[in-house]
Amino acid sequence: LHGVIPPPQPAKSEPAAVEGGSPAVRGSSKKAGRASSTARAPAVIPKTPPMPRVVLLRLIVASATAGAVAVALVARTLARVYVWETSDSLYINDGLLQPTSSKVQFNLGITYMQMQEWDLAVEALIRCAWADPLSSLPFYRIGQIEILRGRYETAEQYLASALDKFGASLMVRDEEVFHDLAVAMFQNGKHAAAETRLRVALQINPDFAKGWNNLACAMISRSLHDATRALRKAVSLAPENPQYWANLALLAQHTGDPATASGAWRRAQELWPAIPEPQDCTWEFAPAG
């Protein structure tokens, strides 16, 4: 070689090759210079054009709408969970939404009746009667409510109205209507009429234990022996009822039958140890389901 390649210099410019130097060496120097120039060139980043204002507003509106829909769905789900939480809440909600439906108002009335919300129950049952004037059911149930409230005159009126529609679909046993009317009549001092209604109920259903017990109570002033026979029938049909045994013990004592009185009272205490000693024949009023 005729020339010498000088050592690298800190100068910024590309070093020149010595004249007469090796072609290979000179070529390498040029390539290194071009590579160095390329590495130092800054990268050009294209600028993103700004989003149009209309598009931005649409995105904001869409997001807000989606949020509102989500909130509404959550609220609706929570409301449905509450409505379907119990059968009572379902009946009450339906009753508020369908005030002219006879069936819905009847179910609402029964729901309030079971909750002992007497006024609300009567209001719903009256709406049921207006929606279906031929049905005896609302009159029957209102009569029961009035008995539970001690309003026997009003109870008698509603129960008599239920019997005026006798033959309609009651959805309860027919003997229950006659029985409940007898309860109201007896409390209103109409003892003979009450006994007649009870006998009709027992003709419809001879195995009506509650009817036999209450017939005995209705007959005490007329015939203690007939009343005692009725109570024997009641305890034979429902031997698990302590009140019937207590009534039998009381009547047997008054008819001079101490053995029956003692045995009946002992059985009553076995069934209900805390049962109070009877002072009078106790009627049973348990509204039919």
Side-chain angles (χ1 to χ4, degrees):
L1 295 176
H2 299 284
V4 179
I5 300 176
Q9 301 295 325
K12 295 181 180 180
S13 59
E14 179 182 345
V18 177
E19 184 180 356
S22 170
V25 173
R26 289 197 301 269
S28 298
S29 298
K30 291 180 181 180
K31 289 179 181 180
R34 286 195 299 269
S36 176
S37 300
T38 303
R40 288 193 302 269
V44 178
I45 301 175
K47 294 183 179 180
T48 303
M51 183 178 295
R53 185 181 299 273
V54 175
V55 175
L56 181 61
L57 290 175
R58 287 180 178 176
L59 288 176
I60 293 174
V61 171
S63 300
T65 302
V69 170
V71 171
L73 289 175
V74 170
R76 182 181 179 184
T77 301
L78 291 175
R80 287 194 171 187
V81 168
Y82 170 75
V83 168
W84 288 84
E85 186 176 6
T86 64
S87 59
D88 289 350
S89 60
L90 179 61
Y91 285 136
I92 291 173
N93 182 73
D94 285 348
L96 297 176
L97 295 176
Q98 304 181 61
T100 59
S101 170
S102 175
K103 182 178 180 180
V104 170
Q105 291 306 305
F106 179 77
N107 290 337
L108 178 62
I110 296 302
T111 300
Y112 282 136
M113 183 178 176
Q114 294 171 345
M115 297 168 62
Q116 297 186 7
E117 295 285 351
W118 307 128
D119 291 336
L120 293 175
V122 170
E123 290 174 4
L125 291 169
I126 289 176
R127 289 194 293 269
C128 171
W130 278 105
D132 186 4
L134 298 179
S135 175
S136 63
L137 276 173
F139 296 92
Y140 169 59
R141 292 303 187 181
I142 293 175
Q144 289 186 321
I145 291 172
E146 295 303 279
I147 289 177
L148 292 171
R149 294 205 284 189
R151 301 178 180 179
Y152 298 109
E153 292 184 2
T154 307
E156 182 180 340
Q157 294 172 5
Y158 275 103
L159 291 167
S161 296
L163 285 180
D164 287 342
K165 301 175 183 298
F166 187 68
S169 178
L170 289 174
M171 295 177 61
V172 293
R173 293 186 300 272
D174 297 336
E175 64 268 22
E176 292 282 357
V177 185
F178 285 95
H179 168 271
D180 293 352
L181 178 59
V183 172
M185 286 181 163
F186 188 87
Q187 294 298 326
N188 290 330
K190 303 175 182 179
H191 297 178
E195 182 179 338
T196 300
R197 300 306 186 280
L198 287 169
R199 291 189 181 278
V200 172
L202 291 169
Q203 287 178 355
I204 296 173
N205 181 8
D207 296 331
F208 191 28
K210 180 172 62 175
W212 286 108
N213 176 81
N214 293 348
L215 178 62
C217 294
M219 291 192 301
I220 284 179
S221 60
R222 185 176 62 80
S223 173
L224 277 174
H225 291 281
D226 289 345
T228 303
R229 281 194 292 270
L231 271 172
R232 289 183 184 275
K233 181 69 172 179
V235 297
S236 69
L237 292 170
E240 74 287 350
N241 191 312
Q243 192 60 63
Y244 298 170
W245 288 105
N247 285 342
L248 177 59
L250 177 66
L251 268 63
Q253 183 179 356
H254 284 287
T255 56
D257 187 355
T260 299
S262 176
W265 178 241
R266 184 169 56 252
R267 181 56 179 155
Q269 289 182 312
E270 290 174 355
L271 293 169
W272 182 14
I275 187 172
E277 187 174 353
Q279 301 298 322
D280 196 359
C281 187
T282 302
W283 285 65
E284 181 185 21
F285 177 68

